[in-house]
């Protein structure tokens, strides 16, 4: 699942591939925005943890899971 995170006062967005489902990512983001957590904490598909202060979040875009492409076919 591709997740794009916009951070206030940062020129670029953060993009990561997460193994979490869209519902799990949405729940974590909602908790951070509601003030239940001070940090937005996500784990990418390589097991690395990403922490973003909840008060610095500008937006979070949750993409659909993309199937892996295998082979040499044309796009």
């Amino acid at each position: 699942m591709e997740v794009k995170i916009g951070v206030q006062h940062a020129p670029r967005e953060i993009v990561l591939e997460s193994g979490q489902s869209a519902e799990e990512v949405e729940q974590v983001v909602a908790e951070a925005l509601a003030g239940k957590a001070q940090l937005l904490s996500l784990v990418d598909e390589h097991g690395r943890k990403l922490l973003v202060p909840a008060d610095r979040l500008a937006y979070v875009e949750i993409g659909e899971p993309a199937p892996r492409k295998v082979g040499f076919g044309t796009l």
Side-chain angles (χ1 to χ4, degrees):
M1 168 95 30
E2 183 179 72
V3 180
K4 293 181 183 178
I5 303 169
V7 181
Q8 295 176 9
H9 309 295
R12 294 181 11 188
E13 63 189 10
I14 300 169
V15 180
L16 72 131
E17 287 289 330
S18 177
Q20 297 170 298
S21 69
E23 292 80 21
E24 291 173 334
V25 172
E26 185 176 355
Q27 181 181 4
V28 172
V29 171
E31 288 175 0
L33 292 176
K36 294 180 182 177
Q38 298 214 354
L39 293 173
L40 171 63
S41 176
L42 296 173
V43 179
D44 73 359
E45 62 185 9
H46 300 291
R48 294 178 293 213
K49 187 176 267 193
L50 173 75
L51 301 171
V52 179
D55 62 343
R56 297 288 182 193
L57 288 175
Y59 64 90
V60 177
E61 182 179 318
I62 303 170
E64 294 189 19
R68 297 267 184 197
K69 293 183 170 114
V70 179
F72 295 100
T74 60
L75 298 177

PDB file of all heavy atoms in Angstrom, residues 13-29:
ATOM      1  N   GLU A  13       7.060  15.664   0.063  1.00  0.00           N
ATOM      2  CA  GLU A  13       6.227  14.737   0.812  1.00  0.00           C
ATOM      3  C   GLU A  13       7.002  13.453   1.085  1.00  0.00           C
ATOM      4  O   GLU A  13       7.988  13.158   0.419  1.00  0.00           O
ATOM      5  CB  GLU A  13       4.942  14.425   0.033  1.00  0.00           C
ATOM      6  CG  GLU A  13       5.183  13.738  -1.293  1.00  0.00           C
ATOM      7  CD  GLU A  13       3.922  13.642  -2.130  1.00  0.00           C
ATOM      8  OE1 GLU A  13       2.898  14.252  -1.798  1.00  0.00           O
ATOM      9  OE2 GLU A  13       3.977  12.951  -3.155  1.00  0.00           O
ATOM     10  N   ILE A  14       6.550  12.710   2.064  1.00  0.00           N
ATOM     11  CA  ILE A  14       7.148  11.426   2.410  1.00  0.00           C
ATOM     12  C   ILE A  14       6.316  10.345   1.732  1.00  0.00           C
ATOM     13  O   ILE A  14       5.098  10.331   1.859  1.00  0.00           O
ATOM     14  CB  ILE A  14       7.151  11.214   3.938  1.00  0.00           C
ATOM     15  CG1 ILE A  14       7.953  12.317   4.623  1.00  0.00           C
ATOM     16  CG2 ILE A  14       7.701   9.839   4.277  1.00  0.00           C
ATOM     17  CD1 ILE A  14       7.796  12.333   6.131  1.00  0.00           C
ATOM     18  N   VAL A  15       6.971   9.457   1.004  1.00  0.00           N
ATOM     19  CA  VAL A  15       6.279   8.365   0.323  1.00  0.00           C
ATOM     20  C   VAL A  15       6.857   7.056   0.833  1.00  0.00           C
ATOM     21  O   VAL A  15       8.068   6.878   0.872  1.00  0.00           O
ATOM     22  CB  VAL A  15       6.457   8.457  -1.213  1.00  0.00           C
ATOM     23  CG1 VAL A  15       5.743   7.314  -1.901  1.00  0.00           C
ATOM     24  CG2 VAL A  15       5.969   9.786  -1.732  1.00  0.00           C
ATOM     25  N   LEU A  16       5.968   6.133   1.243  1.00  0.00           N
ATOM     26  CA  LEU A  16       6.443   4.833   1.686  1.00  0.00           C
ATOM     27  C   LEU A  16       5.474   3.748   1.245  1.00  0.00           C
ATOM     28  O   LEU A  16       4.289   3.999   1.043  1.00  0.00           O
ATOM     29  CB  LEU A  16       6.636   4.797   3.198  1.00  0.00           C
ATOM     30  CG  LEU A  16       5.393   4.771   4.067  1.00  0.00           C
ATOM     31  CD1 LEU A  16       5.541   3.651   5.081  1.00  0.00           C
ATOM     32  CD2 LEU A  16       5.251   6.079   4.783  1.00  0.00           C
ATOM     33  N   GLU A  17       6.004   2.564   1.077  1.00  0.00           N
ATOM     34  CA  GLU A  17       5.205   1.376   0.792  1.00  0.00           C
ATOM     35  C   GLU A  17       5.010   0.654   2.120  1.00  0.00           C
ATOM     36  O   GLU A  17       5.972   0.262   2.754  1.00  0.00           O
ATOM     37  CB  GLU A  17       5.920   0.456  -0.203  1.00  0.00           C
ATOM     38  CG  GLU A  17       5.951   0.969  -1.621  1.00  0.00           C
ATOM     39  CD  GLU A  17       4.596   0.931  -2.296  1.00  0.00           C
ATOM     40  OE1 GLU A  17       3.781   0.049  -1.961  1.00  0.00           O
ATOM     41  OE2 GLU A  17       4.364   1.781  -3.160  1.00  0.00           O
ATOM     42  N   SER A  18       3.775   0.505   2.527  1.00  0.00           N
ATOM     43  CA  SER A  18       3.471  -0.105   3.812  1.00  0.00           C
ATOM     44  C   SER A  18       2.803  -1.456   3.616  1.00  0.00           C
ATOM     45  O   SER A  18       2.018  -1.644   2.690  1.00  0.00           O
ATOM     46  CB  SER A  18       2.553   0.817   4.620  1.00  0.00           C
ATOM     47  OG  SER A  18       2.203   0.207   5.834  1.00  0.00           O
ATOM     48  N   GLY A  19       3.095  -2.376   4.513  1.00  0.00           N
ATOM     49  CA  GLY A  19       2.454  -3.675   4.496  1.00  0.00           C
ATOM     50  C   GLY A  19       1.127  -3.664   5.235  1.00  0.00           C
ATOM     51  O   GLY A  19       0.397  -4.651   5.233  1.00  0.00           O
ATOM     52  N   GLN A  20       0.802  -2.536   5.871  1.00  0.00           N
ATOM     53  CA  GLN A  20      -0.446  -2.407   6.606  1.00  0.00           C
ATOM     54  C   GLN A  20      -1.604  -2.195   5.633  1.00  0.00           C
ATOM     55  O   GLN A  20      -1.424  -1.679   4.531  1.00  0.00           O
ATOM     56  CB  GLN A  20      -0.363  -1.226   7.576  1.00  0.00           C
ATOM     57  CG  GLN A  20       0.699  -1.399   8.646  1.00  0.00           C
ATOM     58  CD  GLN A  20       0.932  -0.131   9.429  1.00  0.00           C
ATOM     59  OE1 GLN A  20       1.336   0.860   8.855  1.00  0.00           O
ATOM     60  NE2 GLN A  20       0.687  -0.174  10.724  1.00  0.00           N
ATOM     61  N   SER A  21      -2.796  -2.556   6.062  1.00  0.00           N
ATOM     62  CA  SER A  21      -3.978  -2.357   5.216  1.00  0.00           C
ATOM     63  C   SER A  21      -4.401  -0.887   5.275  1.00  0.00           C
ATOM     64  O   SER A  21      -3.972  -0.133   6.146  1.00  0.00           O
ATOM     65  CB  SER A  21      -5.125  -3.242   5.699  1.00  0.00           C
ATOM     66  OG  SER A  21      -5.598  -2.789   6.951  1.00  0.00           O
ATOM     67  N   ALA A  22      -5.265  -0.494   4.343  1.00  0.00           N
ATOM     68  CA  ALA A  22      -5.757   0.887   4.306  1.00  0.00           C
ATOM     69  C   ALA A  22      -6.505   1.229   5.586  1.00  0.00           C
ATOM     70  O   ALA A  22      -6.392   2.345   6.104  1.00  0.00           O
ATOM     71  CB  ALA A  22      -6.657   1.081   3.092  1.00  0.00           C
ATOM     72  N   GLU A  23      -7.251   0.272   6.121  1.00  0.00           N
ATOM     73  CA  GLU A  23      -8.007   0.510   7.352  1.00  0.00           C
ATOM     74  C   GLU A  23      -7.076   0.734   8.539  1.00  0.00           C
ATOM     75  O   GLU A  23      -7.330   1.599   9.390  1.00  0.00           O
ATOM     76  CB  GLU A  23      -8.947  -0.667   7.648  1.00  0.00           C
ATOM     77  CG  GLU A  23     -10.089  -0.804   6.654  1.00  0.00           C
ATOM     78  CD  GLU A  23      -9.663  -1.492   5.358  1.00  0.00           C
ATOM     79  OE1 GLU A  23      -8.637  -2.206   5.349  1.00  0.00           O
ATOM     80  OE2 GLU A  23     -10.358  -1.298   4.352  1.00  0.00           O
ATOM     81  N   GLU A  24      -5.983  -0.033   8.616  1.00  0.00           N
ATOM     82  CA  GLU A  24      -5.016   0.136   9.712  1.00  0.00           C
ATOM     83  C   GLU A  24      -4.337   1.499   9.630  1.00  0.00           C
ATOM     84  O   GLU A  24      -4.188   2.183  10.646  1.00  0.00           O
ATOM     85  CB  GLU A  24      -3.961  -0.962   9.663  1.00  0.00           C
ATOM     86  CG  GLU A  24      -4.471  -2.336  10.010  1.00  0.00           C
ATOM     87  CD  GLU A  24      -3.431  -3.424   9.780  1.00  0.00           C
ATOM     88  OE1 GLU A  24      -2.526  -3.254   8.944  1.00  0.00           O
ATOM     89  OE2 GLU A  24      -3.538  -4.451  10.459  1.00  0.00           O
ATOM     90  N   VAL A  25      -3.937   1.898   8.422  1.00  0.00           N
ATOM     91  CA  VAL A  25      -3.281   3.196   8.240  1.00  0.00           C
ATOM     92  C   VAL A  25      -4.255   4.312   8.602  1.00  0.00           C
ATOM     93  O   VAL A  25      -3.899   5.263   9.306  1.00  0.00           O
ATOM     94  CB  VAL A  25      -2.764   3.362   6.793  1.00  0.00           C
ATOM     95  CG1 VAL A  25      -2.257   4.771   6.556  1.00  0.00           C
ATOM     96  CG2 VAL A  25      -1.672   2.347   6.499  1.00  0.00           C
ATOM     97  N   GLU A  26      -5.499   4.198   8.147  1.00  0.00           N
ATOM     98  CA  GLU A  26      -6.503   5.218   8.446  1.00  0.00           C
ATOM     99  C   GLU A  26      -6.745   5.338   9.947  1.00  0.00           C
ATOM    100  O   GLU A  26      -6.874   6.436  10.480  1.00  0.00           O
ATOM    101  CB  GLU A  26      -7.802   4.887   7.725  1.00  0.00           C
ATOM    102  CG  GLU A  26      -8.865   5.956   7.875  1.00  0.00           C
ATOM    103  CD  GLU A  26     -10.110   5.647   7.076  1.00  0.00           C
ATOM    104  OE1 GLU A  26     -10.133   4.662   6.326  1.00  0.00           O
ATOM    105  OE2 GLU A  26     -11.077   6.421   7.220  1.00  0.00           O
ATOM    106  N   GLN A  27      -6.776   4.222  10.645  1.00  0.00           N
ATOM    107  CA  GLN A  27      -7.001   4.237  12.090  1.00  0.00           C
ATOM    108  C   GLN A  27      -5.844   4.921  12.819  1.00  0.00           C
ATOM    109  O   GLN A  27      -6.058   5.732  13.724  1.00  0.00           O
ATOM    110  CB  GLN A  27      -7.181   2.823  12.618  1.00  0.00           C
ATOM    111  CG  GLN A  27      -7.435   2.769  14.101  1.00  0.00           C
ATOM    112  CD  GLN A  27      -7.598   1.351  14.622  1.00  0.00           C
ATOM    113  OE1 GLN A  27      -7.440   0.396  13.875  1.00  0.00           O
ATOM    114  NE2 GLN A  27      -7.913   1.220  15.890  1.00  0.00           N
ATOM    115  N   VAL A  28      -4.617   4.626  12.424  1.00  0.00           N
ATOM    116  CA  VAL A  28      -3.440   5.232  13.059  1.00  0.00           C
ATOM    117  C   VAL A  28      -3.425   6.740  12.813  1.00  0.00           C
ATOM    118  O   VAL A  28      -3.137   7.526  13.720  1.00  0.00           O
ATOM    119  CB  VAL A  28      -2.146   4.565  12.535  1.00  0.00           C
ATOM    120  CG1 VAL A  28      -0.918   5.300  13.013  1.00  0.00           C
ATOM    121  CG2 VAL A  28      -2.086   3.115  12.965  1.00  0.00           C
ATOM    122  N   VAL A  29      -3.761   7.158  11.594  1.00  0.00           N
ATOM    123  CA  VAL A  29      -3.800   8.585  11.260  1.00  0.00           C
ATOM    124  C   VAL A  29      -4.901   9.284  12.063  1.00  0.00           C
ATOM    125  O   VAL A  29      -4.688  10.364  12.610  1.00  0.00           O
ATOM    126  CB  VAL A  29      -4.002   8.791   9.744  1.00  0.00           C
ATOM    127  CG1 VAL A  29      -4.264  10.250   9.417  1.00  0.00           C
ATOM    128  CG2 VAL A  29      -2.790   8.293   8.973  1.00  0.00           C
TER     129      VAL A  29
END
